Every structure is written in structure tokens, then in C-alpha cells.
Amino acid sequence: MKKKVCIIGVNYSYKILFQSLKILKNFDILGIAGRKKRKEFKKEKFLYYTSWKNMIDELKPDLVVIGVPPKEQEKILEFLLIKNIDFLCEKPITNDLKRINLYKNLVKKNSNKNLIDLNFLTIPAIQKFKNIIKKIEISKKDQIKIEWFLKPRSLKDKLSWKNNPKKIGGEINNFFFHLISIIFYLFGSLDISLISKKNNFYIFLFSSHNINFEVNFFTRSKINKFKIEVNNRNNKYSLNNNSKDYHNNYFIKKNNSIVFKKNFLKDKSRIFASKDILNLFLKKNNELEKHTNFNKGLEIQKKIINLKC
């Protein structure tokens, strides 16, 4: 039997999440709620609503997929947790520690599957790099270097919530959230502290009882560079991406040789990345689910708030 789905949001939700759901075919998309009805909706079979509450009350979905700005998402999450409805949400979640505690308390009373769309974790090269790290057993003797240099496309839209920390935007809530999710996926949960910040160039320290390393994060770069490098005894392994596509063109090097390179379909990388997260509502993948569940998102968001940067 297909899972009944409702979608909240008509921008990212329709362009990415709706297309991801269609690929999987085991979802029955009943309705979509948003402020503006799009011309493209005429060819679709779902019902259109201007009230997400009315849509959920009338259609009674098994799963709600959310793709709206974080300030709008906050109230939706509380409603769904109280109603015990499965959901997929987006990051960032909130900038309020009280709300994080509220969500945590509601999750304790909730046995449903609640996931966050941390779709970088479905990138083939990142999953492959995790397998490599498992085998080499990293310790404090190993050197780890991490850097992400980029210039977000959203900077062109000065009115976008993505550029406004008061609306839970900004590069730390948006892009650094993804980077933390990747680091925790690869190395486990770590403490994070801010070493320095100057002109949108951040240096963070990630640490635990057995490893510590610095992370360079720069969001006004003229070049695109993503690199996680691990020097382990006689070998050096690195995960790399030097392209403008955040979800494609990753490759792994062992010493100076490329040993792995695999891409999603061109121009559909985000659709296929989110598809694999949505597939968790259909099939078990304990490792991926562990790092994309709502509690993991709350853990990352709390660490971001406590950084105060």
C-alpha cells in the first residue's frame, strides 16, 4: 500500500521534494499547501490548499513533507509532533533553545519517524569515505584537515531569509549545518568551539576524547573548494569537490590517485539526494537514519546556537 503524503511549501517543496517523491513511486501525493498556486500544478493530480492545517485535517496523511522557511516551519513541527504524524523537515530548525527543549520533550512522547533532509549524507563519495574511515580506525595520532570555501548563490537575493540570521538564516545556520552533519556522520558527535572569525572566514575546533582537528569555513570565496583530508600512518585519504554543484562532482583520493568518483544525474543532484532520504520512510537503513533523524538535527542545531557566531 502506498503512503499518503501531503507537502507544505510550493518552491523547494515542489521543485525538489515533490520530484523526489515521484521517482520513488511508493507515495501517493494527496495535496500541497502554499501561499501561491503555481501554473505547473494544473497538470498534477494533487489538491491545492492555502492552509496546511486544513489540508492535514482533511486528507489525514501518513507523512508530511515540509519545505518552507524555518520561521514558518517551527509551528508546523510542533503541530506534527503533537499529532504523531511522520514528517521530513528542513534545516535549520530553530534559533531558540527553549523550542529545542520543547521539541525534545514532544519527541519522547512520539513513536513516529521524523527525519531531517540532510541530503549531503546520501552523496555516494561521502558514504564511500565513511567506509574508508571505518576501516582505518582514526586516532589522535592521525591528522585531519577540513575546509569548505564557497560563495552561496543565495547572496544575490538580499531579501531572502537565507541571508538573515533573525529569520534563522545566515551561512552558519544554512551551510555550516550541512558541514557539521557530514563531520558527525564521518567521525561521530564532537564538541565544537569557535577559534576565530574574520570577514566571513571561520576557524572552528572539533574535538572529543580521541580526536581533535580544525575546520576552515569561508563563505565569500572566489573559488569553490570542499576537502576532508585524513593522514593515517603511511596513507593520505581525501574527499574533494572543487565544483559549484554542492551535491555532485565529489571524488576520493588515496595519496595522489583518484580511487572513487560517482555522480548523481546532471542537473538533478538535489532531487536524487533527497530521494534517498525520503526512501527511509519505505526501507530500513539504520546507519543513514541514525544521522538524519530529527533528534540528530536538534543536536546539531543546539551546537550552532551555543557557538553564538
Side-chain angles (χ1 to χ4, degrees):
M1 185 181 293
K2 290 186 176 182
K3 277 189 176 291
K4 297 183 293 181
V5 183
C6 283
I7 301 171
I8 302 176
V10 296
N11 190 10
Y12 179 80
S13 294
Y14 181 74
K15 292 176 182 176
I16 304 298
L17 300 174
F18 173 71
Q19 307 305 327
S20 300
L21 288 162
K22 278 183 26 175
I23 292 169
L24 289 166
K25 301 184 185 301
N26 288 316
F27 294 105
D28 186 8
I29 304 161
L30 304 180
I32 188 166
R35 292 176 183 172
K36 292 181 180 179
K37 192 171 184 178
R38 294 179 176 272
K39 291 179 182 178
E40 305 96 291
F41 293 177
K42 290 181 181 179
K43 63 183 180 183
E44 308 295 355
K45 295 179 181 178
F46 56 67
L47 298 171
Y48 173 76
Y49 288 77
T50 54
S51 165
W52 57 265
K53 275 189 181 178
N54 288 347
M55 175 178 68
I56 292 168
D57 286 342
E58 289 179 17
L59 300 181
K60 296 178 173 48
D62 303 309
L63 168 65
V64 174
V65 174
I66 314 163
V68 297
K71 277 293 181 186
E72 296 176 40
Q73 182 176 249
E74 284 181 326
K75 294 177 183 177
I76 299 169
L77 292 175
E78 185 177 346
F79 177 87
L80 295 174
L81 285 167
I82 291 170
K83 293 285 188 180
N84 292 311
I85 300 172
D86 288 0
F87 64 76
L88 176 76
C89 71
E90 296 298 319
K91 56 86 200 135
I93 300 169
T94 184
N95 56 2
D96 184 351
L97 287 173
K98 288 183 180 178
R99 188 166 280 276
I100 284 181
N101 291 330
L102 169 66
Y103 292 152
K104 282 186 174 180
N105 289 331
L106 289 172
V107 167
K108 288 176 185 175
K109 304 171 187 175
N110 190 311
S111 60
N112 289 66
K113 185 175 286 191
N114 307 316
L115 302 178
I116 182 166
D117 188 19
L118 296 175
N119 50 44
F120 276 68
L121 305 188
T122 70
I123 293 169
I126 290 177
Q127 294 186 341
K128 179 70 174 179
F129 200 67
K130 181 179 175 68
N131 291 333
I132 291 170
I133 285 173
K134 272 184 179 179
K135 291 176 183 176
I136 62 178
E137 297 180 356
I138 290 172
S139 70
K140 272 194 174 179
K141 294 179 181 179
D142 301 318
Q143 288 185 323
I144 299 171
K145 297 177 183 177
I146 299 178
E147 54 190 12
W148 193 8
F149 298 168
L150 72 155
K151 189 173 182 180
R153 292 185 289 269
S154 57
L155 289 174
K156 295 176 183 177
D157 184 0
K158 293 181 180 179
L159 297 178
S160 171
W161 67 265
K162 293 179 180 179
N163 302 317
N164 189 341
K166 291 181 180 178
K167 294 182 178 180
I168 325 180
E171 55 254 9
I172 298 298
N173 274 316
N174 198 0
F175 289 94
F176 193 57
F177 197 118
H178 272 306
L179 184 55
I180 295 174
S181 77
I182 295 167
I183 293 170
F184 283 13
Y185 179 64
L186 297 174
F187 303 105
S189 293
L190 300 161
D191 293 326
I192 311 171
S193 56
L194 176 66
I195 297 174
S196 66
K197 173 192 172 184
K198 186 177 181 181
N199 299 327
N200 300 96
F201 192 105
Y202 301 82
I203 302 176
F204 297 96
L205 176 67
F206 282 66
S207 60
S208 71
H209 67 282
N210 65 330
I211 57 170
N212 63 78
F213 51 84
E214 290 184 3
V215 173
N216 294 333
F217 179 64
F218 183 36
T219 59
R220 295 298 183 274
S221 178
K222 292 181 181 179
I223 62 167
N224 292 280
K225 184 181 182 183
F226 179 100
K227 188 173 188 177
I228 298 177
E229 183 178 282
V230 177
N231 284 288
N232 179 262
R233 294 179 286 278
N234 297 321
N235 290 310
K236 180 171 68 176
Y237 300 89
S238 63
L239 171 68
N240 310 267
N241 185 357
N242 300 320
S243 77
K244 292 181 180 180
D245 189 336
Y246 304 137
H247 293 85
N248 250 349
N249 304 313
Y250 287 82
F251 58 94
I252 297 171
K253 292 178 78 173
K254 180 179 179 181
N255 300 322
N256 294 317
S257 301
I258 294 175
V259 294
F260 184 86
K261 187 173 183 179
K262 184 179 178 181
N263 285 328
F264 293 114
L265 286 179
K266 190 178 178 182
D267 300 326
K268 291 188 177 181
S269 56
R270 285 198 298 170
I271 292 172
F272 277 83
S274 291
K275 171 189 74 72
D276 290 343
I277 301 293
L278 285 161
N279 199 38
L280 294 174
F281 290 99
L282 302 171
K283 296 179 180 178
K284 272 281 183 186
N285 181 331
N286 292 332
E287 187 61 27
L288 186 57
E289 199 170 317
K290 173 183 169 185
H291 290 277
T292 57
N293 71 69
F294 187 56
N295 265 329
K296 179 59 70 174
L298 292 175
E299 177 192 348
I300 294 172
Q301 191 72 73
K302 186 175 181 179
K303 287 182 183 291
I304 288 174
I305 293 171
N306 288 334
L307 285 171
K308 297 179 180 177
C309 60

